[in-house]
Amino acid sequence: MHAVVITEPGGPDVLQWTEVEDPVPGAGEVLVDIVASAVNRADLMQRQGLYPPPPGAPPYPGLECSGTVAATGPGVTEWKPGDEVCALLAGGGYAEKVAVPAGQLLPAPHAVSLTAAAAFPETVCTVYSNVFLGARLSPGETLLVHGGASGIGTTAIQLAKNAGATVAVTAGSAEKLDACRELGADITINYRDEDFVQSIMDATGGRGADVILDIMGAAYLARNVDALAADGRIATIGLQGGRKAELDLNKLMRKRGTIMATTLRARPREQKKAIVEAVREHVWPLVEAGKIRPVIYRELPFPEAAEAHRIMEASMNIGKIVLRAQ
Ligand SMILES: NC(=O)c1ccc[n+]([C@@H]2O[C@H](COP(=O)([O-])OP(=O)(O)OC[C@H]3O[C@@H](n4cnc5c(N)ncnc54)[C@H](OP(=O)(O)O)[C@@H]3O)[C@@H](O)[C@H]2O)c1
């Protein structure tokens, strides 16, 4: 098969469409003929040598894919050749084939094309596990999503609106904030010329956000605590603003606040399976009903993966960038 190989750590041009060995599905795994994958910010870090794949994962980038089941390994009974699927991966999505633990597959939704289905697994599983399973966002509560126009943000807005929450977002341009509003965001904050703490406090009558989905890490830690409502929960999933910061625990205690931090890729298979099952039960019906859609900024063929990385590195994308097999 062919895969996008990281020839050495570096810029986008180290991504080369190369002939490599086919994967073989092990016990409990399914071999998928890939139709499409999608770019996640973690792929950029992997390309730079800053985010090595976990042990046992393929060396090629790609945390999600869609396609058709080609074969099943020993012990797999729930999938059969020909099934159209999408999958949460620990790596290897930028390729023509991948072997995936059976518990990380979802049936491809009928409501979107098989290519578009590749844009779902990583963001939907990340948002669902953090905002709903972890931070327990409830109807009537306010969710603040940093980077509302990102792949993660466009998913979080739709899921939270469908759950009856009020959604606030930050983004760095009027165009991105418009896109967030079209997806249902109620409160839009341009972080370049507004103080998001002041803006969220003004918009919530001084209450703050019940849940904050954070991708900035250290740079926003203190201000996220300031922006938090009493009994609020911060779910940190990104470190774009650094990993080390000082925290005023007294402020957090007075608000009875919680800070959680997770990374999906490093979770054990059993946890990924449980998250995928919860997504299938709670999110897939919304997708089939047309209430959640993948927001796709651009589609490119796999050999143009370098261009896809350039687009994301420049933060041009609103939503996801899809890579397709042909
Ligand atoms: N922990 C996990 O399991 C997990 C899983 C998936 C993703 N993630 C993380 O989630 C984040 C988004 O991932 P993605 O793939 O969706 O990436 P993406 O589409 O490239 O989004 C990154 C976003 O960051 C925004 N941003 C940059 N500086 C900002 C600031 N100061 N305040 C608010 N927003 C800012 C950019 O928006 P502007 O152009 O408006 O600046 C951009 O939309 C990444 O940090 C990624 O590592 C974590």
Side-chain angles (χ1 to χ4, degrees):
M1 71 162 184
H2 282 77
V4 174
V5 171
I6 301 171
T7 53
E8 59 180 323
D13 291 328
V14 305
L15 300 176
Q16 296 293 330
W17 187 238
T18 311
E19 195 163 349
V20 297
E21 266 190 37
D22 280 25
V24 178
E29 289 185 340
V30 172
L31 184 69
V32 176
D33 273 336
I34 294 178
V35 164
S37 184
V39 182
N40 289 281
R41 204 151 260 264
D43 307 343
L44 277 52
M45 289 163 56
Q46 181 172 340
R47 192 202 70 218
Q48 292 165 307
L50 304 173
Y51 193 41
Y60 323 116
L63 298 176
E64 56 197 341
C65 74
S66 60
T68 307
V69 172
T72 54
V76 175
T77 52
E78 61 275 45
W79 303 102
K80 59 177 190 326
D83 286 348
E84 293 193 336
V85 293
C86 55
L88 179 69
L89 307 175
Y94 296 14
E96 288 176 319
K97 295 175 196 289
V98 69
V100 194
Q104 287 165 223
L105 291 182
L106 285 151
H110 301 104
V112 304
S113 71
L114 190 53
T115 301
F120 272 133
E122 176 70 10
T123 61
V124 168
C125 291
T126 300
V127 171
Y128 196 78
S129 58
N130 281 280
V131 174
F132 295 94
L133 298 177
R136 303 175 321 281
L137 181 72
S138 304
E141 288 194 324
T142 298
L143 170 70
L144 170 60
V145 181
H146 288 304
S150 63
I152 287 286
T154 52
T155 304
I157 295 168
Q158 297 181 74
L159 283 176
K161 285 309 293 176
N162 269 286
T166 297
V167 178
V169 297
T170 59
S173 74
E175 188 198 2
K176 287 191 172 183
L177 292 173
D178 283 347
C180 294
R181 245 185 311 271
E182 275 167 33
L183 288 169
D186 306 282
I187 303 162
T188 54
I189 303 166
N190 188 329
Y191 70 81
R192 292 188 201 276
D193 45 46
E194 287 174 68
D195 170 10
F196 75 80
V197 179
Q198 193 59 51
S199 300
I200 192 76
M201 286 300 171
D202 289 348
T204 57
R207 203 169 165 276
D210 299 288
V211 176
I212 300 178
L213 183 61
D214 179 62
I215 60 171
M216 296 309 296
Y220 277 8
L221 181 64
R223 283 193 286 157
N224 278 338
V225 173
D226 288 341
L228 203 60
D231 300 300
R233 292 85 71 198
I234 297 171
T236 294
I237 61 162
L239 301 171
Q240 288 176 205
R243 54 200 281 186
K244 290 188 182 175
E246 211 170 87
L247 172 64
D248 184 341
L249 283 166
N250 187 38
K251 278 189 182 174
L252 194 65
M253 285 162 75
R254 280 191 281 119
K255 291 188 173 185
R256 299 176 299 282
T258 304
I259 300 176
M260 61 191 82
T262 68
T263 173
L264 182 58
R265 191 186 203 182
R267 284 186 188 256
R269 280 186 181 191
E270 280 316 303
Q271 287 192 17
K272 288 184 183 171
K273 180 171 185 274
I275 291 167
V276 165
E277 276 169 6
V279 161
R280 187 170 177 173
E281 184 181 345
H282 298 286
V283 180
W284 248 218
L286 298 171
V287 173
E288 293 296 19
K291 293 179 175 169
I292 306 283
R293 63 180 176 89
V295 176
I296 296 175
Y297 177 75
R298 190 84 187 268
E299 267 183 40
L300 291 164
F302 277 130
E304 291 177 37
E307 176 61 10
H309 277 216
R310 274 186 220 104
I311 292 169
M312 184 171 276
E313 226 144 46
S315 265
M316 287 157 68
N317 57 300
I318 291 175
K320 302 280 294 186
I321 304 163
V322 165
L323 291 170
R324 53 184 154 68
Q326 44 205 315

